Amino acid sequence: MLRCSSCAQKLKLEHSKRSIRLDVRKLTVLADTDDGIRPLLRIGSGENWVGYHLVAHLALHRYFTLHQRPVPRMLLLDQVTQPFYPSKVAKDSGNTDLIRSDADRNTVRGMFELMYRFTNDLAPKFQLIVSDHANLPDQWCQDCVRYNWRNGDALIPQAWIDEHTS
């Protein structure tokens, strides 16, 4: 079992003050709670699910990288902040001021800080690609942004879509 507790604590996930681990036999995150061991399916909200998936992926990739396992040294994550945005308008804007609450805003910042530190710790042996609507104003985050698709600019250009749907 891989330990995930320290990353879960950084994100302040539910039950993270106790042991959190990845059960590789059952391919699930397990949390020790006052009521016993709980699998991911029985752990709280969408925020916890995203957080624990992130923590599990990071733990696995740390292990693979540090033990030179034959696994690609990259991870692609899509919309890890989705549970924190209240509406399509807010999500599309990328403006973190539109996130539901200060607590959610802090959690989003914490997720990106965790991913940033994780990638720096394993650099140059690991690459993390995140596709997300969030656009934190912090310089360390802006230094990592390679593309900011807004106002008609997109990962898949509209011309490609039009060409293949007409």
Side-chain angles (χ1 to χ4, degrees):
M1 290 197 202
L2 295 172
R3 298 278 175 200
C4 305
S5 298
S6 64
C7 288
Q9 287 173 3
K10 288 176 187 172
L11 295 180
K12 299 178 181 155
L13 298 173
E14 188 175 357
H15 308 297
S16 64
K17 292 189 180 186
R18 295 186 156 211
S19 179
I20 304 296
R21 60 203 173 278
L22 178 63
D23 184 338
V24 293
R25 291 185 189 136
K26 295 181 181 177
L27 292 177
T28 191
V29 172
L30 300 175
D32 290 339
T33 72
D34 291 337
D35 300 322
I37 298 171
R38 288 180 123 177
L40 181 61
L41 288 174
R42 293 185 50 222
I43 299 175
S45 64
E47 291 92 342
N48 281 313
W49 284 24
V50 169
Y52 278 118
H53 276 95
L54 174 61
V55 165
H57 279 286
L58 296 180
L60 285 168
H61 279 282
R62 178 178 300 282
Y63 177 85
F64 296 150
T65 301
L66 295 178
H67 291 90
Q68 300 174 355
R69 303 308 306 155
V71 174
R73 301 284 184 254
M74 66 158 297
L75 176 61
L76 174 61
L77 299 172
D78 184 40
Q79 298 185 40
V80 293
T81 64
Q82 187 175 17
F84 302 96
Y85 283 89
S87 70
K88 183 172 177 12
V89 172
K91 189 168 51 171
D92 288 347
S93 78
N95 184 347
T96 54
D97 291 335
L98 297 175
I99 293 177
R100 291 188 307 235
S101 70
D102 286 340
D104 288 345
R105 193 174 299 107
N106 290 337
T107 300
V108 166
R109 178 174 264 82
M111 289 170 61
F112 277 92
E113 286 174 350
L114 176 65
M115 292 184 283
Y116 177 77
R117 277 188 252 119
F118 177 87
T119 305
N120 279 338
D121 286 348
L122 295 179
K125 297 179 180 180
F126 183 78
Q127 181 180 20
L128 179 59
I129 300 169
V130 180
S131 173
D132 203 287
H133 296 282
N135 188 15
L136 303 179
D138 306 79
Q139 191 59 51
W140 59 266
C141 185
Q142 291 301 309
D143 289 345
C144 296
V145 173
R146 294 300 173 255
Y147 299 99
N148 195 349
W149 293 302
R150 302 269 192 273
N151 304 319
D153 290 331
L155 174 63
I156 301 172
Q158 187 61 45
W160 293 5
I161 296 169
D162 294 343
E163 180 180 317
H164 289 85
T165 58
S166 53

